[in-house]
Amino acid sequence: MPHTDYDCNLGCPVERALEIIGGKWKGAILYHLLDSSNQDTSIRFNELRRIMPNITQRMLTKQLRELEETKLISRTVHPEVPPRVEYAMTDYGKTLAPVIESLRIWGISHLDNNDTSQN
């Protein structure tokens, strides 16, 4: 999906990628949605809130909308009372799986390094 109207240094694809998936919450949201997509399931809004208890409802809504705008995730509203809203990775979003997995592995290593360097 070529994108040319972004606000970063000319020709910097890393900066563009970080604009799309960066921030405090998007990586975690993508990680949990990718994990559920590996099990062929989607995640409901309130389930994401339970998994990520420190995010506010407003911030979660904002981050999900931004990820939906970039076509990384899909939002499905089921016509029930009360409405049931589910989120899932799109095929395009699933292309991030190796990146998110690499970040997970690096994060585990970084946590291990911090634990040993503080002792």
Side-chain angles (χ1 to χ4, degrees):
M1 177 167 133
H3 199 291
T4 56
D5 62 334
Y6 51 91
D7 212 11
C8 67
N9 293 327
L10 186 61
C12 182
V14 172
E15 191 171 345
R16 176 61 182 152
L18 290 175
E19 282 181 353
I20 294 170
I21 66 169
K24 182 175 181 179
W25 300 109
K26 286 182 185 172
I29 292 167
L30 291 169
Y31 171 76
H32 293 300
L33 289 174
L34 278 167
D35 188 47
S36 73
S37 76
N38 290 336
Q39 301 165 24
D40 289 326
T41 60
S42 54
I43 297 183
R44 294 176 70 171
F45 182 87
N46 284 332
E47 186 178 350
L48 278 170
R49 291 269 334 262
R50 279 190 296 279
I51 293 169
M52 302 168 57
N54 295 327
I55 190 170
T56 65
Q57 181 171 337
R58 180 179 176 192
M59 182 56 69
L60 179 57
T61 299
K62 180 181 185 294
Q63 300 294 284
L64 289 167
R65 283 184 183 152
E66 290 176 9
L67 290 168
E68 188 180 5
E69 284 174 12
T70 58
K71 310 260 189 275
L72 294 176
I73 68 170
S74 64
R75 177 179 186 263
T76 304
V77 179
H78 298 275
E80 302 172 355
V81 178
R84 179 171 44 112
V85 179
E86 295 180 332
Y87 295 89
M89 296 299 293
T90 62
D91 287 340
Y92 176 60
K94 289 176 185 177
T95 64
L96 281 171
V99 175
I100 301 296
E101 177 62 12
S102 292
L103 286 170
R104 185 188 73 80
I105 291 167
W106 185 89
I108 290 168
S109 172
H110 178 72
L111 288 173
D112 290 345
N113 286 339
N114 270 355
D115 290 343
T116 57
S117 67
Q118 292 178 359
N119 292 331

